Amino acid sequence: VSTQSTWGMCELYEKAEELSKKITTWTMSDEVRSGKAIELEPTATYLREGSAISKAGDVDHLPQQYVVCTAGGSGLMKAANKGASEVDGARNMGMSSSLEETQNPYVTPDLAFEFHYFFTQKFWMLYQAVAIVVFPGGFETCDSLFEVLTLKQTGKMRADLPIVLFGSDYWSDIFNWQEMANLGTISQSDVDNLFITNEVNEAYEYIVNRLTKKKI
């Protein structure tokens, strides 16, 4: 491994941790936990009518509306779980495969799940996902990314699901998204719906804006 690539991964590790911490801090805010600032999923609408909310606006007992979820492994996954775990009172999730290594120590213990098949692992990771952040990775990462893009394209997942590709140089070098659209293999909207960035604050603002009632 070259010194340059090692440095790059160290930088990405720090950014993954920072982004996860910022998003988790946002999820723990009163506005988000009460459901006042977000577009709630149907399964969470009961919170608006809960008697506890009407009592002095106390939301301390309410659950997080969103949690950071990874495959629970090492590297960038560990960084994301670590960042989320650093927020007081917050929980995060790990969904690993039995073929992979043991889960990292930053996953909330009662939210650590293991699946025997990759299919079930990916299904449950995506089933209630409200945003997806993809960091540079190998074949498995690219396989999962293209599966999500295909499900969106074919209407099997929410068309407005935010997807962030973190690591501008990496994602722009290995895939020429615009050329795929130019050649007609994908549509221009497929390209436009990808948010590619190298900055934590840009990724954070994009996700938060897409999840709040005042969407961009």
Side-chain angles (χ1 to χ4, degrees):
V1 180
S2 68
T3 303
Q4 182 178 5
S5 62
T6 301
W7 177 86
M9 289 305 295
C10 289
E11 183 183 27
L12 284 174
Y13 186 100
E14 293 173 355
K15 289 186 175 183
E17 182 177 341
E18 181 184 355
L19 177 59
S20 179
K21 186 173 183 178
K22 284 177 70 73
I23 292 174
T24 303
T25 299
W26 174 73
T27 69
M28 294 298 288
S29 66
D30 290 353
E31 292 80 4
V32 176
R33 293 176 72 183
S34 67
K36 295 177 181 179
I38 58 175
E39 293 287 359
L40 290 175
E41 296 297 313
T43 54
T45 53
Y46 75 93
L47 292 174
R48 288 189 174 184
E49 301 174 358
S51 59
I53 294 181
S54 63
K55 296 179 180 179
D58 179 21
V59 297
D60 288 342
H61 64 290
L62 294 178
Q64 290 172 249
Q65 293 289 347
Y66 308 122
V67 298
V68 169
C69 177
T70 76
S74 58
L76 295 170
M77 293 178 285
K78 182 179 179 179
N81 290 123
K82 180 181 179 183
S85 72
E86 292 173 348
V87 180
D88 290 342
R91 294 147 64 84
N92 68 89
M93 187 178 296
M95 292 189 176
S96 66
S97 165
S98 60
L99 300 178
E100 298 172 347
E101 58 190 275
T102 57
Q103 296 218 11
N104 70 69
Y106 298 106
V107 175
T108 303
D110 60 342
L111 291 180
F113 303 94
E114 182 180 287
F115 297 88
H116 182 68
Y117 297 106
F118 283 123
F119 164 76
T120 51
Q121 176 199 27
K122 288 195 286 187
F123 173 83
W124 286 110
M125 288 187 74
L126 296 174
Y127 182 63
Q128 291 193 350
V130 295
I132 296 175
V133 181
V134 188
F135 278 78
F139 290 143
E140 185 177 351
T141 298
C142 294
D143 171 66
S144 297
L145 171 60
F146 272 85
E147 186 168 3
V148 171
L149 295 177
T150 301
L151 291 171
K152 282 190 62 176
Q153 186 186 63
T154 56
K156 302 301 181 181
M157 290 185 68
R158 286 172 37 204
D160 61 346
L161 179 72
I163 297 180
V164 175
L165 302 184
F166 201 98
S168 302
D169 291 342
Y170 182 85
W171 292 113
S172 297
D173 285 347
I174 65 171
F175 297 115
N176 190 333
W177 306 102
Q178 187 56 54
E179 186 62 17
M180 293 176 71
N182 293 342
L183 294 172
T185 55
I186 60 176
S187 67
Q188 186 60 48
S189 63
D190 293 326
V191 179
D192 296 339
N193 286 332
L194 293 173
F195 187 79
I196 304 175
T197 184
N198 212 37
E199 300 298 328
V200 170
N201 287 337
E202 289 182 358
Y204 169 78
E205 292 295 337
Y206 178 75
I207 292 171
V208 168
N209 286 337
R210 290 293 298 271
L211 296 183
T212 53
K213 292 179 179 179
K214 187 179 180 180
K215 294 184 178 180
I216 58 174

